[in-house]
Amino acid sequence: MTSSTYFGTEGQHSTRVERTYLLVSSNSPVEAWAAMLRAPSAPDLCVRSPSPEAQRAADAAFGGRYVPTILEPLLARRGSAESLGDFMWRTADALRTLYAFATRTALVVFDELPLADGALRLEEHDLLRFADELERAAPAA
């Protein structure tokens, strides 16, 4: 697990644990399970698309073990009437939503993730950077 050391406003020394997000595709339950094995700690939260594929990938990753799960429609596959730019903006919103959750390690199951192939492991600062990158790369409507 990665940790950062910093001084608070009162000059007191403290240690803060950096959060980790494991982003995996719903198309590959095996990759979801493999991402879990590479995690710095067992995920304490699963955030997934509401699709049946995402449920299967999450079930494979956790192997029947209970983990609090949030169904997030922003993680769903691009809609047929949705522009690529709107899809990328929606995905960036989903990443920023993840940042708000109180978690140490989260498994995040996407149906489709722009600008990425396979699984990604992002620390909290990388998560916001990736959201910004998606917005910059989104084509204008």
Coordinates of all heavy atoms in Angstrom, one line a residue, residues 21-79:
Y21 N -7.6 2.5 -7.1 CA -8.8 2.2 -7.9 C -8.3 1.2 -9.0 O -7.4 1.5 -9.7 CB -9.4 3.4 -8.6 CG -9.7 4.5 -7.5 CD1 -8.8 5.4 -7.1 CD2 -11.0 4.5 -7.0 CE1 -9.1 6.4 -6.2 CE2 -11.3 5.4 -6.0 CZ -10.4 6.4 -5.6 OH -10.7 7.3 -4.7
L22 N -8.9 0.0 -9.0 CA -8.7 -1.0 -10.0 C -9.8 -1.0 -11.0 O -10.9 -1.3 -10.7 CB -8.6 -2.4 -9.3 CG -7.7 -2.5 -8.1 CD1 -7.9 -3.8 -7.4 CD2 -6.2 -2.4 -8.6
L23 N -9.5 -0.5 -12.2 CA -10.5 -0.3 -13.3 C -10.3 -1.5 -14.2 O -9.3 -1.7 -14.8 CB -10.3 1.0 -14.0 CG -10.8 2.3 -13.4 CD1 -10.2 2.5 -12.0 CD2 -10.6 3.5 -14.3
V24 N -11.4 -2.2 -14.4 CA -11.4 -3.4 -15.2 C -12.6 -3.4 -16.1 O -13.6 -2.8 -15.8 CB -11.4 -4.7 -14.4 CG1 -10.1 -4.8 -13.5 CG2 -12.6 -4.9 -13.5
S25 N -12.5 -4.2 -17.2 CA -13.6 -4.3 -18.2 C -14.6 -5.4 -17.8 O -14.1 -6.5 -17.3 CB -13.0 -4.7 -19.5 OG -14.0 -5.0 -20.4
S26 N -15.8 -5.2 -18.0 CA -16.8 -6.2 -17.7 C -16.7 -7.4 -18.7 O -17.3 -8.4 -18.4 CB -18.2 -5.6 -17.8 OG -18.5 -5.1 -19.1
N27 N -16.0 -7.2 -19.8 CA -15.8 -8.2 -20.8 C -14.9 -9.3 -20.4 O -14.8 -10.3 -21.1 CB -15.4 -7.6 -22.1 CG -16.4 -6.8 -22.8 OD1 -17.6 -7.0 -22.6 ND2 -16.0 -5.8 -23.5
S28 N -14.1 -9.1 -19.3 CA -13.1 -10.1 -18.9 C -13.1 -10.4 -17.4 O -12.4 -9.7 -16.6 CB -11.7 -9.5 -19.3 OG -10.7 -10.5 -19.0
P29 N -14.0 -11.3 -17.0 CA -14.0 -11.7 -15.6 C -12.6 -12.2 -15.1 O -12.3 -12.0 -14.0 CB -15.0 -12.8 -15.5 CG -15.9 -12.6 -16.7 CD -15.0 -12.0 -17.8
V30 N -11.9 -12.8 -16.0 CA -10.5 -13.3 -15.6 C -9.6 -12.2 -15.3 O -8.9 -12.2 -14.3 CB -9.9 -14.2 -16.7 CG1 -8.5 -14.6 -16.4 CG2 -10.8 -15.5 -16.8
E31 N -9.7 -11.1 -16.1 CA -8.8 -9.9 -15.8 C -9.3 -9.2 -14.5 O -8.4 -8.7 -13.8 CB -8.9 -8.9 -17.0 CG -8.0 -7.7 -16.9 CD -6.5 -8.1 -16.7 OE1 -6.1 -9.0 -17.5 OE2 -5.9 -7.5 -15.9
A32 N -10.6 -9.2 -14.2 CA -11.0 -8.6 -13.0 C -10.5 -9.4 -11.8 O -10.0 -8.8 -10.8 CB -12.6 -8.7 -12.9
W33 N -10.5 -10.7 -11.9 CA -9.9 -11.6 -10.8 C -8.4 -11.3 -10.7 O -7.9 -11.2 -9.6 CB -10.2 -13.0 -11.1 CG -9.7 -14.0 -10.1 CD1 -10.1 -14.2 -8.9 CD2 -8.5 -14.8 -10.3 NE1 -9.3 -15.2 -8.3 CE2 -8.4 -15.6 -9.1 CE3 -7.7 -15.0 -11.4 CZ2 -7.3 -16.5 -9.0 CZ3 -6.6 -16.0 -11.2 CH2 -6.5 -16.7 -10.0
A34 N -7.7 -11.2 -11.8 CA -6.3 -11.0 -11.8 C -5.9 -9.7 -11.2 O -4.9 -9.5 -10.5 CB -5.7 -11.1 -13.2
A35 N -6.7 -8.6 -11.5 CA -6.5 -7.3 -10.9 C -6.6 -7.4 -9.4 O -5.9 -6.7 -8.7 CB -7.5 -6.3 -11.5
M36 N -7.5 -8.2 -8.9 CA -7.7 -8.3 -7.4 C -6.4 -8.9 -6.8 O -6.0 -8.5 -5.8 CB -8.8 -9.3 -7.1 CG -10.2 -8.7 -7.5 SD -10.8 -7.8 -6.2 CE -11.0 -9.0 -5.0
L37 N -5.8 -9.9 -7.5 CA -4.6 -10.5 -7.0 C -3.4 -9.5 -7.0 O -2.5 -9.7 -6.1 CB -4.2 -11.7 -7.9 CG -5.2 -12.9 -7.9 CD1 -4.7 -14.0 -8.8 CD2 -5.3 -13.4 -6.5
R38 N -3.4 -8.5 -7.8 CA -2.3 -7.5 -7.9 C -2.6 -6.3 -7.0 O -1.8 -5.4 -6.9 CB -2.1 -7.1 -9.3 CG -1.6 -8.1 -10.3 CD -1.3 -7.6 -11.6 NE -2.3 -6.9 -12.3 CZ -3.2 -7.4 -13.2 NH1 -3.1 -8.7 -13.5 NH2 -4.2 -6.7 -13.7
A39 N -3.8 -6.3 -6.4 CA -4.2 -5.1 -5.5 C -3.3 -5.0 -4.3 O -2.8 -6.0 -3.8 CB -5.6 -5.3 -5.1
P40 N -3.0 -3.8 -3.9 CA -2.2 -3.6 -2.7 C -2.9 -4.1 -1.4 O -2.2 -4.4 -0.4 CB -2.0 -2.0 -2.6 CG -3.2 -1.5 -3.4 CD -3.5 -2.5 -4.4
S41 N -4.2 -4.1 -1.4 CA -5.0 -4.7 -0.3 C -6.3 -5.1 -0.9 O -6.7 -4.7 -2.0 CB -5.3 -3.6 0.8 OG -6.0 -2.5 0.2
A42 N -7.0 -6.0 -0.2 CA -8.3 -6.5 -0.7 C -9.3 -5.3 -0.8 O -9.4 -4.5 0.1 CB -8.9 -7.5 0.3
P43 N -9.9 -5.2 -2.0 CA -10.9 -4.1 -2.2 C -12.0 -4.1 -1.1 O -12.5 -5.2 -0.7 CB -11.5 -4.4 -3.5 CG -10.4 -5.1 -4.3 CD -9.8 -6.0 -3.2
D44 N -12.3 -2.9 -0.6 CA -13.3 -2.8 0.4 C -14.6 -2.2 -0.3 O -15.6 -1.9 0.4 CB -12.9 -1.9 1.5 CG -12.4 -0.5 1.1 OD1 -12.1 -0.4 -0.1 OD2 -12.2 0.3 2.0
L45 N -14.6 -2.0 -1.6 CA -15.7 -1.5 -2.3 C -15.7 -1.9 -3.7 O -14.6 -2.0 -4.3 CB -15.7 0.1 -2.3 CG -16.8 0.8 -3.0 CD1 -18.2 0.5 -2.3 CD2 -16.6 2.3 -3.0
C46 N -16.8 -2.3 -4.3 CA -17.0 -2.6 -5.7 C -18.0 -1.5 -6.3 O -19.0 -1.4 -5.7 CB -17.5 -4.0 -5.9 SG -17.8 -4.4 -7.7
V47 N -17.6 -0.9 -7.3 CA -18.4 0.0 -8.1 C -18.5 -0.5 -9.5 O -17.4 -0.7 -10.1 CB -17.9 1.5 -8.1 CG1 -18.8 2.4 -8.8 CG2 -17.6 1.9 -6.6
R48 N -19.7 -0.8 -9.9 CA -19.8 -1.4 -11.2 C -21.0 -0.9 -12.0 O -21.9 -0.4 -11.5 CB -19.9 -2.9 -11.1 CG -21.2 -3.4 -10.4 CD -21.3 -4.9 -10.5 NE -22.5 -5.4 -9.9 CZ -23.7 -5.5 -10.5 NH1 -23.9 -5.1 -11.8 NH2 -24.8 -6.0 -9.9
S49 N -20.9 -1.1 -13.3 CA -22.0 -0.9 -14.2 C -23.1 -1.8 -13.9 O -22.9 -2.9 -13.3 CB -21.5 -1.2 -15.7 OG -22.6 -1.4 -16.5
P50 N -24.4 -1.4 -14.1 CA -25.5 -2.3 -13.8 C -25.7 -3.4 -14.8 O -26.6 -4.2 -14.6 CB -26.7 -1.3 -13.9 CG -26.2 0.0 -14.4 CD -24.8 0.0 -14.5
S51 N -24.8 -3.6 -15.8 CA -25.0 -4.6 -16.8 C -24.8 -6.0 -16.2 O -24.0 -6.2 -15.3 CB -24.0 -4.4 -18.0 OG -22.7 -4.7 -17.6
P52 N -25.4 -7.0 -16.8 CA -25.1 -8.4 -16.4 C -23.7 -8.8 -16.6 O -23.1 -9.6 -15.7 CB -26.0 -9.3 -17.3 CG -27.0 -8.3 -17.9 CD -26.4 -7.0 -17.9
E53 N -23.0 -8.3 -17.6 CA -21.6 -8.6 -17.8 C -20.7 -8.1 -16.6 O -19.8 -8.7 -16.2 CB -21.0 -8.0 -19.1 CG -21.7 -8.6 -20.4 CD -23.0 -7.9 -20.7 OE1 -23.4 -6.8 -20.1 OE2 -23.7 -8.3 -21.6
A54 N -21.0 -6.9 -16.2 CA -20.3 -6.3 -15.0 C -20.6 -7.1 -13.8 O -19.7 -7.3 -12.9 CB -20.7 -4.8 -14.8
Q55 N -21.8 -7.6 -13.6 CA -22.1 -8.4 -12.4 C -21.3 -9.7 -12.5 O -20.7 -10.1 -11.4 CB -23.6 -8.7 -12.3 CG -23.9 -9.5 -11.1 CD -25.4 -9.8 -10.9 OE1 -26.2 -9.3 -11.6 NE2 -25.7 -10.6 -9.9
R56 N -21.2 -10.3 -13.6 CA -20.4 -11.6 -13.8 C -18.9 -11.3 -13.5 O -18.3 -12.1 -12.8 CB -20.6 -12.2 -15.1 CG -21.8 -13.0 -15.3 CD -21.9 -13.8 -16.6 NE -21.9 -13.0 -17.8 CZ -23.0 -12.5 -18.3 NH1 -24.2 -12.7 -17.7 NH2 -23.0 -11.8 -19.4
A57 N -18.4 -10.2 -14.0 CA -17.0 -9.9 -13.7 C -16.7 -9.6 -12.2 O -15.7 -10.1 -11.7 CB -16.6 -8.7 -14.5
A58 N -17.6 -8.9 -11.6 CA -17.5 -8.6 -10.1 C -17.6 -9.9 -9.4 O -16.8 -10.2 -8.4 CB -18.5 -7.6 -9.7
D59 N -18.6 -10.8 -9.7 CA -18.7 -12.1 -9.0 C -17.5 -12.9 -9.2 O -17.0 -13.6 -8.2 CB -19.9 -12.8 -9.6 CG -21.3 -12.2 -9.2 OD1 -21.3 -11.3 -8.3 OD2 -22.3 -12.6 -9.8
A60 N -16.9 -12.9 -10.4 CA -15.7 -13.7 -10.6 C -14.5 -13.2 -9.8 O -13.7 -13.9 -9.2 CB -15.3 -13.7 -12.1
A61 N -14.4 -11.8 -9.7 CA -13.3 -11.2 -8.9 C -13.4 -11.5 -7.5 O -12.4 -11.8 -6.8 CB -13.3 -9.7 -9.2
F62 N -14.6 -11.5 -6.9 CA -14.7 -11.6 -5.5 C -15.0 -13.1 -5.0 O -14.9 -13.4 -3.9 CB -15.8 -10.7 -4.9 CG -15.4 -9.3 -5.0 CD1 -16.0 -8.4 -5.9 CD2 -14.4 -8.8 -4.2 CE1 -15.7 -7.1 -6.0 CE2 -14.0 -7.4 -4.3 CZ -14.7 -6.6 -5.2
G63 N -15.3 -14.0 -6.0 CA -15.4 -15.4 -5.7 C -16.4 -15.7 -4.6 O -16.2 -16.5 -3.7
G64 N -17.5 -15.0 -4.6 CA -18.6 -15.2 -3.6 C -18.4 -14.5 -2.3 O -19.3 -14.5 -1.4
R65 N -17.3 -13.8 -2.1 CA -17.0 -13.0 -0.9 C -17.9 -11.7 -1.0 O -17.9 -11.1 -2.0 CB -15.6 -12.7 -0.8 CG -15.2 -12.0 0.5 CD -13.7 -11.8 0.6 NE -13.1 -11.0 -0.4 CZ -12.8 -9.7 -0.3 NH1 -13.1 -9.1 0.8 NH2 -12.3 -9.0 -1.3
Y66 N -18.5 -11.4 0.1 CA -19.3 -10.1 0.2 C -18.4 -8.9 0.2 O -17.5 -8.8 1.0 CB -20.2 -10.1 1.4 CG -20.9 -8.8 1.5 CD1 -22.0 -8.4 0.7 CD2 -20.5 -7.8 2.4 CE1 -22.6 -7.2 0.8 CE2 -21.1 -6.6 2.5 CZ -22.1 -6.3 1.7 OH -22.7 -5.1 1.8
V67 N -18.7 -8.0 -0.7 CA -18.0 -6.6 -0.7 C -19.2 -5.6 -1.0 O -20.0 -5.9 -1.9 CB -16.9 -6.6 -1.7 CG1 -16.4 -5.1 -1.9 CG2 -15.8 -7.5 -1.4
P68 N -19.2 -4.5 -0.2 CA -20.3 -3.5 -0.5 C -20.1 -3.1 -2.0 O -19.0 -2.9 -2.5 CB -19.9 -2.4 0.4 CG -19.1 -3.0 1.5 CD -18.4 -4.1 0.9
T69 N -21.3 -3.1 -2.7 CA -21.3 -2.8 -4.1 C -22.2 -1.7 -4.4 O -23.3 -1.6 -3.9 CB -21.7 -4.1 -4.9 OG1 -20.8 -5.1 -4.6 CG2 -21.7 -3.8 -6.4
I70 N -21.8 -0.8 -5.3 CA -22.6 0.3 -5.8 C -22.8 0.2 -7.3 O -21.8 0.0 -8.0 CB -21.9 1.7 -5.5 CG1 -21.8 1.9 -4.0 CG2 -22.6 2.8 -6.1 CD1 -20.9 3.0 -3.6
L71 N -24.0 0.2 -7.7 CA -24.3 0.1 -9.2 C -24.3 1.6 -9.7 O -25.0 2.4 -9.2 CB -25.7 -0.5 -9.4 CG -25.8 -1.9 -8.9 CD1 -27.2 -2.4 -9.3 CD2 -24.8 -2.8 -9.4
E72 N -23.4 1.8 -10.6 CA -23.2 3.2 -11.2 C -23.5 3.2 -12.7 O -22.7 2.7 -13.5 CB -21.8 3.7 -10.9 CG -21.5 5.0 -11.4 CD -22.5 6.1 -11.0 OE1 -22.5 6.4 -9.8 OE2 -23.3 6.5 -11.9
P73 N -24.7 3.8 -13.1 CA -25.0 3.9 -14.5 C -24.0 4.6 -15.3 O -23.9 4.4 -16.5 CB -26.4 4.6 -14.5 CG -26.9 4.4 -13.1 CD -25.7 4.3 -12.2
L74 N -23.2 5.5 -14.7 CA -22.2 6.3 -15.5 C -21.2 5.4 -16.1 O -20.4 5.7 -17.0 CB -21.6 7.4 -14.7 CG -22.5 8.5 -14.2 CD1 -21.8 9.4 -13.3 CD2 -23.0 9.3 -15.4
L75 N -21.1 4.1 -15.6 CA -20.0 3.2 -16.0 C -20.5 2.3 -17.2 O -19.8 1.4 -17.6 CB -19.6 2.3 -14.9 CG -19.0 3.0 -13.6 CD1 -18.7 2.0 -12.5 CD2 -17.8 3.8 -14.0
A76 N -21.8 2.5 -17.6 CA -22.4 1.7 -18.7 C -21.7 2.0 -20.0 O -21.1 3.0 -20.3 CB -23.9 2.0 -18.7
R77 N -21.9 1.0 -20.9 CA -21.4 1.1 -22.3 C -22.0 2.3 -23.0 O -23.1 2.8 -22.6 CB -21.9 -0.2 -23.0 CG -21.4 -0.4 -24.4 CD -21.7 -1.8 -24.8 NE -21.5 -2.9 -23.9 CZ -20.3 -3.4 -23.5 NH1 -19.2 -2.9 -24.0 NH2 -20.2 -4.3 -22.6
R78 N -21.3 2.8 -24.0 CA -21.8 4.0 -24.8 C -23.1 3.6 -25.5 O -23.2 2.6 -26.1 CB -20.7 4.3 -25.8 CG -21.1 5.5 -26.7 CD -20.0 5.8 -27.7 NE -20.4 6.7 -28.7 CZ -19.8 7.0 -29.8 NH1 -18.6 6.3 -30.1 NH2 -20.2 7.8 -30.7
G79 N -24.1 4.5 -25.3 CA -25.4 4.3 -25.9 C -25.3 4.6 -27.4 O -24.5 5.4 -27.9

